[in-house]
Amino acid sequence: MYEAVHAHPDGETTVARLAKTAADYGFEGVVVRNHHDSRGEYDAEQIREAYDVDVVTGLEIRADSPEQAGGSVGNYRTEQTILAVHGGSNAMNRFAVETDKVDVLAHPMAGGGDVNHVVVKAAVENGVRLEFDLSGVLRRSGGRRVRAIQSLQKLEELVDYYDAPYVVSGDPRSHLEMRAPRELAALGEELGFSSEFIEAGLAEWGHLAERNRAIRSESFIEPGVERGRYDEES
């Protein structure tokens, strides 16, 4: 199972500290998902060797419009193992799930955003994972927490009905916000999800990383020569 994290400067903790905590908590890896305007520098291989945990390079595109996001997808797709789009608005949600070069629609219910059958069916067609972001339940209270729970439950009903691909994350921005897989599974059960559902969503980050690394490796022919990447995605 993997956790998807925001590291310094997008978060409060370095990639190395987050990776160490992830290893201590029983995660197999972390996906570094900093927003594209807050990218940090880190040596994934060195951290992997130090803590015996996989470190996956990733990026979360945050844009004001689908047109702006489209340019960023083109710029960053071949550089990153996992590429996410920060959703929330109806326009950004639709853009993300209709773009097969996007791996994950992150925070689809944030900021008053919504997900309906049209969005979920497009996610199925293009293989875009919908994120169950548990941070609103973990770190909010009162009415905001209630709304976060209701949004997650609505999303689960749609994902289950259409058998849509998904990922799960606690979205930690520091090692202090990280929760172990068993804790996230227990939280999911409180929300009406099975522990297997949560665990499968955490594991999906790793499956995505493995698939995309294979695609990138297969696309390499020789230095400076590569065939089209991600053309075989489904």
Side-chain angles (χ1 to χ4, degrees), residues 9-81:
D10 203 21
E12 300 173 10
T13 306
T14 64
V15 174
R17 188 67 180 87
L18 286 161
K20 181 182 185 302
T21 302
D24 291 343
Y25 284 179
F27 284 102
E28 298 171 66
V30 292
V31 177
V32 182
R33 61 185 289 179
N34 284 22
H35 291 103
H36 74 283
D37 53 0
S38 299
R39 303 170 68 187
E41 294 185 3
Y42 57 95
D43 189 325
E45 185 60 34
Q46 185 178 67
I47 296 169
R48 185 181 300 117
E49 292 178 358
Y51 301 113
D52 192 27
V53 64
D54 190 15
V55 178
V56 182
T57 60
L59 205 65
E60 185 176 320
I61 292 170
R62 181 169 51 188
D64 295 327
S65 68
E67 292 75 19
Q68 186 182 61
S72 295
V73 169
N75 289 336
Y76 295 115
R77 173 67 274 182
T78 57
E79 297 179 8
Q80 303 298 326
T81 302

